Amino acid sequence: MKEGNEKEWVKRLMNDMKKLENAHQAKVPQQHELMNVLTEFKNQRKKAWKRELTIFILTALTILATYFVVSLKMPAVFLWVQILSIITIPIIYIAEKKRRKGLNEVSDDGF
């Protein structure tokens, strides 16, 4: 009697396992879908790389210009550069924050 119960229990267990397996079948993506996702990712990375390169070059030029102005002892120009940077940095920060919010990226607000 015990053996019959065990066989029935194993049979039900196997049946339930097959039901679970069938219910959780993952859809295998097609090749063109994968290629579209990969192409989109590459385009996003290329755009980000260009943006980061532009910011790097502008920062380097700003540092170089500041060094040049200080070395030539032109305080008026130096003050104007400082004032313009104080005005533009918050604008750049707000624009970047809006852009990230539009992309649903995780952002670090420092809080």
Side-chain angles (χ1 to χ4, degrees):
M1 183 106 172
K2 255 186 174 183
E3 205 171 292
N5 254 351
E6 278 184 33
K7 284 184 181 180
E8 186 179 318
W9 183 81
V10 169
K11 198 178 209 179
R12 278 190 286 153
L13 177 65
M14 294 302 283
N15 238 0
D16 290 341
M17 294 295 276
K18 283 181 184 177
K19 285 180 185 177
L20 279 174
E21 207 173 275
N22 290 338
H24 294 289
Q25 281 291 350
K27 180 187 171 244
V28 178
Q30 299 293 323
Q31 182 179 2
H32 70 280
E33 292 172 341
L34 289 174
M35 292 305 291
N36 287 342
V37 170
L38 182 62
T39 304
E40 183 179 328
F41 176 75
K42 284 182 179 180
N43 288 339
Q44 288 175 350
R45 286 304 311 149
K46 190 182 288 186
K47 266 173 103 174
W49 184 81
K50 286 179 182 178
R51 185 177 61 248
E52 290 168 5
L53 181 64
T54 303
I55 291 171
F56 173 76
I57 290 172
L58 289 175
T59 304
L61 289 174
T62 303
I63 292 169
L64 183 65
T66 303
Y67 177 73
F68 183 70
V69 166
V70 169
S71 69
L72 292 179
K73 298 179 183 172
M74 298 167 49
V77 175
F78 183 71
L79 287 175
W80 277 107
V81 169
Q82 293 297 316
I83 291 169
L84 288 175
S85 66
I86 288 171
I87 293 170
T88 57
I89 287 174
I91 294 170
I92 293 170
Y93 177 75
I94 291 169
E96 183 68 15
K97 194 171 181 182
K98 283 182 182 179
R99 186 192 66 81
R100 285 183 184 234
K101 192 178 274 187
L103 294 175
N104 294 324
E105 287 183 358
V106 177
S107 62
D108 181 21
D109 290 335
F111 298 109

